[in-house]
């Protein structure tokens, strides 16, 4: 509750929370707030010339090149972005935390081997590696989430490793060891509690990166496959109409930017609140 009160005092964080709440609420309530199925090709959804309809009172965001209601596809696409953002980033944080804590706590050969593998993974461009992995496996919602998790855990592992190494060298850990505390007790009672704030911040900030990466993969055609709506593949499907029907690109593009910005604002505020070096500065 104290964290929520501090977030509420920050206007940018409050704006981010409001945007996230709207997107999450729309995703959960999608069946009740949209008038059409996201994959329904409406008989009157195109002009006589076969062009998409512009936004009006009936189609709030217009229709796409197949005559489908764009508002319905944007709302259902929010589900895809949130599922992948939360699942993929949650898995990335979990994998990175396990690798980082193990390497930083055990040190020695195990720690060196894990961090050299992490460095090897960091040497590959994340987008290129994600494209290769997505092309190898048959793209689907959960495969895309898995692919993103496989390329995003390395940054978390490096940060957690650094913090774990620093914590294990502090005086209170040395004192615990001198008193005969077992390694599991030191890990559970003194190391992991100090890493929770870092994992929370990375878990929030990383969602924005994950949403953007999913949109990029879908735009390139190796992400979530049609007809499942995704903000990235909506842009990919309709990019040829950019000049004559710009709303087909701008609306999902704005949705991606706003959601990523919202998570970044909240994550940045959480970092300031949970970082003890920032206490008393605001």
């Amino acid at each position: 509750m104290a964290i929520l009160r501090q977030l509420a005092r920050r206007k940018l964080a409050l704006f981010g929370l409001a945007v996230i709440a709207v997107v999450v609420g729309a995703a959960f309530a999608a069946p009740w707030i949209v008038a059409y199925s996201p994959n329904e090709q409406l008989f009157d959804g195109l002009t006589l010339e076969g062009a998409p309809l512009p936004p009006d009172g009936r189609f709030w965001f217009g229709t796409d090149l197949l005559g489908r209601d764009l508002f319905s596809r944007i709302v259902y696409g929010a589900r895809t972005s949130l599922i992948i953002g939360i699942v993929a980033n949650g898995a990335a944080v979990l994998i990175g935390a396990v690798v980082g804590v193990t390497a930083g706590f055990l040190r020695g050969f195990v720690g060196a081997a894990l961090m050299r593998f992490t460095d090897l993974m960091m040497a590959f461009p994340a987008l290129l590696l994600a494209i290769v992995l997505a092309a190898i496996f048959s793209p689907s919602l959960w495969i895309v989430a898995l692919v993103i998790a496989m390329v995003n855990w390395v940054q978390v592992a490096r940060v957690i490793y650094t913090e774990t190494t620093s914590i294990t060298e502090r005086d209170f850990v040395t004192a615990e060891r001198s008193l005969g505390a077992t390694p599991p007790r030191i890990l559970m009672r003194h190391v992991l509690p100090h890493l929770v704030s870092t994992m929370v911040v990375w878990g929030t900030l990383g969602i924005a990166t994950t949403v953007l990466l999913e949109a990029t993969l879908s735009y390139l055609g190796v992400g979530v496959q049609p007809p499942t709506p995704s903000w990235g593949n909506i842009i990919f499907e309709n990019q040829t109409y950019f000049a004559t029907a710009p709303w087909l690109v701008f609306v999902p593009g704005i949705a991606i930017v706003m959601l990523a910005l919202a998570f970044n604002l909240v994550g940045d505020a959480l970092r300031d609140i949970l970082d003890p070096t920032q206490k008393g500065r605001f």
Side-chain angles (χ1 to χ4, degrees):
M1 294 300 296
I3 293 177
L4 289 177
R5 285 196 295 270
Q6 292 187 61
L7 282 175
R9 290 199 293 267
R10 300 165 182 261
K11 294 181 179 180
L12 291 178
L14 199 59
F15 171 75
L17 285 174
V19 172
I20 293 171
V22 169
V23 174
V24 171
F28 274 103
W32 297 278
I33 65 176
V34 301
Y36 308 98
S37 167
N39 298 322
E40 181 181 359
Q41 299 182 27
L42 303 170
F43 177 75
D44 55 349
L46 298 172
T47 65
L48 294 177
E49 293 78 20
L53 295 177
D56 57 23
R58 181 185 175 191
F59 302 111
W60 292 357
F61 293 164
T63 61
D64 66 6
L65 57 93
L66 296 179
R68 297 171 296 190
D69 179 35
L70 186 60
F71 176 72
S72 300
R73 293 187 63 76
I74 291 293
V75 172
Y76 274 89
R79 287 184 167 187
T80 303
S81 294
L82 287 173
I83 289 174
I84 291 182
I86 294 172
V87 172
N89 191 61
V93 171
L94 180 60
I95 296 171
V98 170
V99 173
V101 169
T102 303
F105 191 74
L106 295 181
R107 309 285 186 87
F109 174 78
V110 174
L114 287 174
M115 295 319 296
R116 295 298 75 76
F117 176 70
T118 301
D119 293 339
L120 178 64
M121 292 294 294
M122 291 184 72
F124 292 96
L127 179 57
L128 180 60
L129 182 59
I131 292 174
V132 172
L133 291 174
I136 292 174
F137 301 103
S138 178
S140 67
L141 181 64
W142 301 110
I143 290 296
V144 171
L146 176 62
V147 166
I148 293 176
M150 290 171 64
V151 301
N152 276 357
W153 65 267
V154 290
Q155 293 85 0
V156 182
R158 174 57 68 178
V159 172
I160 295 295
Y161 168 75
T162 302
E163 292 209 9
T164 302
T165 303
S166 174
I167 292 169
T168 55
E169 293 176 351
R170 294 181 183 176
D171 292 339
F172 63 87
V173 174
T174 303
E176 278 287 312
R177 286 188 177 130
S178 66
L179 292 173
T182 61
R185 175 183 171 83
I186 294 174
L187 179 63
M188 299 302 296
R189 294 288 298 274
H190 299 287
V191 177
L192 291 181
H194 284 81
L195 298 175
V196 171
S197 61
T198 300
M199 289 188 283
V200 169
V201 171
W202 272 93
T204 307
L205 288 173
I207 292 177
T209 304
T210 303
V211 168
L212 292 173
L213 183 54
E214 180 276 323
T216 303
L217 292 175
S218 295
Y219 174 75
L220 295 173
V222 292
V224 179
Q225 297 299 295
T228 302
S230 161
W231 292 344
N233 67 29
I234 290 174
I235 297 175
F236 174 73
E237 292 175 342
N238 299 291
Q239 60 181 330
T240 54
Y241 278 78
F242 173 75
T244 57
W247 63 87
L248 296 178
V249 175
F250 281 125
V251 171
I254 291 172
I256 293 170
V257 170
M258 291 300 293
L259 185 60
L261 176 63
F263 277 112
N264 274 328
L265 291 174
V266 174
D268 188 60
L270 282 174
R271 180 182 59 194
D272 293 338
I273 293 170
L274 296 175
D275 186 354
T277 63
Q278 301 290 330
K279 300 292 185 183
R281 292 186 57 186
F282 298 92

